[in-house]
């Protein structure tokens, strides 16, 4: 019975895809029809595989045209994502959007980064996505929510870093700017990069679902972004080590907190990627940097404590004030130490 239901569901999906393609072809706006047809072919209801390479390439090619075409393309993908209740279609939309970020033209990525206006957290609007037709689609739905959150954290980071984590060309072009960052900006970038790692580690418990080719592709792409994120964090930690002796107590404490958050993700990430992105050298750098940051933090805390103690003693042991008091019927100056009021 379950097999028959799945076959019927797949058949209905094929009919829906064909109907959508026919509807797009009948549009009087030819440019819009071409865009929507390309998006539909990349995000079919077929549960067996991720978007085919040539269908993704057709979507990306739309970014080589005019800005209005690129805007229509992103709007079509987002409409498809927000309008579907099918977990397979939703995950294919997210995978296609990730390809836009990694390989799309500047115009295409720019339209995505600021969709609808300024973007923001949960602008993919999949945090409450549920496909409850059966156990399988229910489990896939949890991977849709996870991957949507991962992509959102990537796009939020891109606005702060000025680069796209998923784009290898962006990463190589921007490494040299790290040394010119202020300490506060450096810490802000580390914080947002750690946020990506935290979202990656919040994956669903149904790891067996990776046997599904669609989920496997999403995890594989997430692994590539994780490797890039490690590289970006590592470069900034190396810069922090160079500056550690000049860091303030607050900066050292903030860096320590970020690294604690990062280390808390390690075990789950190993389970997700099954050592595919292990990178022991990266975690050694995290551990060593954390030790140095903790030492600098403790020195800073001791300095602050001593400084506050010295100021308190100076207030308590301030100069005596001589007051005029009546003594034995005669006014005289009597030395009297006036203690400050205790809060």
């Amino acid at each position: 019975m379950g097999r028959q239901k799945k076959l019927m569901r797949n058949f209905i999906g094929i009919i829906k895809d064909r109907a959508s393609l026919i509807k797009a072809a009948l549009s009087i706006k030819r440019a819009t029809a071409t865009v929507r047809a390309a998006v539909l072919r990349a995000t079919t209801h077929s549960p067996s595989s991720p978007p085919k390479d040539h269908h993704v390439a057709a979507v990306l090619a739309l970014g080589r045209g005019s800005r209005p075409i690129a805007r229509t393309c992103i709007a079509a993908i987002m409409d498809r994502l927000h309008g579907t209740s099918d977990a397979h279609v939703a995950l294919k939309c997210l995978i296609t959007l990730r390809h836009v970020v990694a390989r799309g033209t500047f115009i295409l990525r720019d339209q995505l980064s600021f969709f609808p206006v300024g973007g923001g957290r949960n602008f993919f609007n999949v945090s409450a996505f549920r496909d409850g037709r059966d156990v399988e689609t229910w489990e896939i739905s949890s991977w849709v929510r996870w991957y949507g959150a991962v992509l959102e954290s990537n796009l939020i980071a891109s606005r702060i870093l000025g680069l796209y984590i998923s784009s290898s060309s962006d990463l190589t072009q921007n490494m040299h700017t790290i040394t010119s960052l202020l300490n506060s900006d450096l810490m802000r970038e580390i914080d947002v990069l750690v946020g990506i790692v935290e979202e990656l580690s919040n994956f669903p418990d149904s790891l067996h679902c990776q046997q599904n080719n669609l989920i496997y592709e999403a995890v594989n792409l997430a692994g590539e972004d994780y490797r890039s994120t490690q590289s970006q964090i590592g470069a900034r930690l190396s810069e922090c080590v160079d500056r550690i002796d000049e860091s303030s107590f607050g900066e050292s404490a903030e860096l320590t907190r970020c690294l604690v958050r990062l280390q808390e993700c390690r075990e789950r990430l190993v389970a997700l990627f099954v050592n595919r992105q292990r990178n022991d050298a990266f975690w050694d750098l995290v551990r060593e940097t954390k030790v140095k940051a903790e030492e600098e933090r403790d020195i800073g805390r001791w300095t602050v404590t001593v400084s506050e103690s010295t100021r308190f003693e100076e207030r308590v042991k301030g100069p005596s004030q001589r007051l005029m008091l009546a003594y034995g019927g005669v006014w005289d100056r009597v030395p009297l130490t006036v203690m400050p009021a205790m809060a």
Side-chain angles (χ1 to χ4, degrees):
M1 182 66 179
R3 180 177 175 79
Q4 289 182 343
K5 286 180 64 177
K6 185 175 292 188
L7 289 173
M8 179 59 67
R9 184 180 68 198
N10 294 344
F11 177 74
I12 293 173
I14 292 172
I15 298 300
K16 286 183 177 180
D17 290 336
R18 290 182 178 177
S20 296
L21 285 169
I22 292 172
K23 182 179 178 181
L26 295 175
S27 173
I28 59 175
K29 297 180 179 180
R30 302 310 304 165
T32 301
T34 300
V35 170
R36 293 196 175 278
V39 170
L40 288 168
R41 292 189 181 98
T43 59
T44 64
H45 286 76
S46 171
S48 59
S49 61
K52 297 184 182 301
D53 290 341
H54 65 281
H55 289 154
V56 172
V59 172
L60 298 180
L62 297 170
R64 303 190 193 101
S66 64
R67 188 172 292 273
I69 292 296
R71 185 183 305 116
T72 301
C73 176
I74 296 303
I77 300 173
M78 298 299 276
D79 287 346
R80 180 76 159 161
L81 175 62
H82 295 158
T84 188
S85 59
D86 187 291
H88 303 99
V89 173
L91 194 50
K92 288 183 181 183
C93 287
L94 293 173
I95 289 173
T96 302
L97 288 170
R98 193 276 180 183
H99 285 301
V100 167
V101 174
R103 299 157 48 198
T105 62
F106 171 79
I107 293 176
L108 203 58
R109 293 188 298 181
D110 187 56
Q111 295 302 314
L112 175 61
S113 293
F114 296 96
F115 182 93
V117 179
R121 191 169 293 279
N122 195 34
F123 78 97
F124 286 147
N125 196 29
V126 294
S127 61
F129 184 87
R130 299 285 190 284
D131 182 350
R133 288 175 295 172
D134 54 39
V135 174
E136 180 186 359
T137 57
W138 183 264
E139 289 182 335
I140 295 174
S141 296
S142 64
W143 289 94
V144 170
R145 296 192 297 273
W146 168 76
Y147 198 52
V150 169
L151 288 181
E152 284 167 356
S153 66
N154 278 356
L155 289 176
I156 291 170
S158 73
R159 301 185 192 111
I160 295 175
L161 273 62
L163 58 87
Y164 291 93
I165 293 297
S166 302
S167 174
S168 57
S169 60
D170 278 10
L171 298 180
T172 55
Q173 291 172 4
N174 285 273
M175 279 296 192
H176 68 279
T177 63
I178 296 173
T179 56
S180 62
L181 292 172
L182 298 173
N183 284 358
S184 57
D185 293 332
L186 186 61
M187 286 308 310
R188 186 186 183 203
E189 292 190 358
I190 292 173
D191 177 70
V192 75
L193 287 165
V194 171
I196 295 176
V197 178
E198 287 178 320
E199 290 295 352
L200 285 165
S201 69
N202 287 332
F203 61 88
D205 292 330
S206 52
L207 283 174
H208 64 275
C209 285
Q210 288 196 55
Q211 297 174 2
N212 179 294
N213 290 334
L214 191 54
I215 294 176
Y216 181 85
E217 177 68 7
V219 173
N220 186 54
L221 293 173
E224 293 179 6
D225 292 343
Y226 175 46
R227 183 170 60 249
S228 298
T229 303
Q230 284 183 327
S231 176
Q232 290 296 309
I233 293 175
R236 284 158 179 79
L237 292 186
S238 296
E239 182 65 23
C240 284
V241 171
D242 292 340
R243 303 183 187 186
I244 200 73
D245 292 337
E246 302 173 0
S247 299
S248 67
F249 165 71
E251 291 166 347
S252 299
E254 179 61 24
L255 178 58
T256 301
R257 285 192 291 270
C258 282
L259 296 179
V260 168
R261 288 165 50 203
L262 188 58
Q263 288 180 322
E264 289 175 346
C265 300
R266 183 178 184 179
E267 185 175 344
R268 284 186 60 81
L269 291 170
V270 170
L272 176 63
F273 299 119
V274 197
N275 289 330
R276 281 174 289 177
Q277 311 294 340
R278 183 170 175 173
N279 197 350
D280 289 336
F282 168 76
W283 291 107
D284 288 343
L285 175 61
V286 171
R287 177 180 52 78
E288 292 166 4
T289 306
K290 179 171 171 284
V291 169
K292 293 179 180 179
E294 287 174 333
E295 291 175 352
E296 195 65 27
R297 179 199 61 188
D298 293 341
I299 292 172
R301 180 186 291 129
W302 181 82
T303 303
V304 170
T305 302
V306 170
S307 177
E308 291 180 346
S309 176
T310 302
R311 287 198 298 271
F312 177 76
E313 290 178 2
E314 289 175 350
R315 289 197 301 270
V316 171
K317 297 180 179 179
S320 299
Q321 300 181 30
R322 290 184 174 273
L323 302 179
M324 293 290 291
L325 298 176
Y327 184 73
V330 180
W331 287 92
D332 197 2
R333 294 180 182 274
V334 179
L336 179 66
T337 300
V338 181
M339 301 294 290
M342 300 299 290

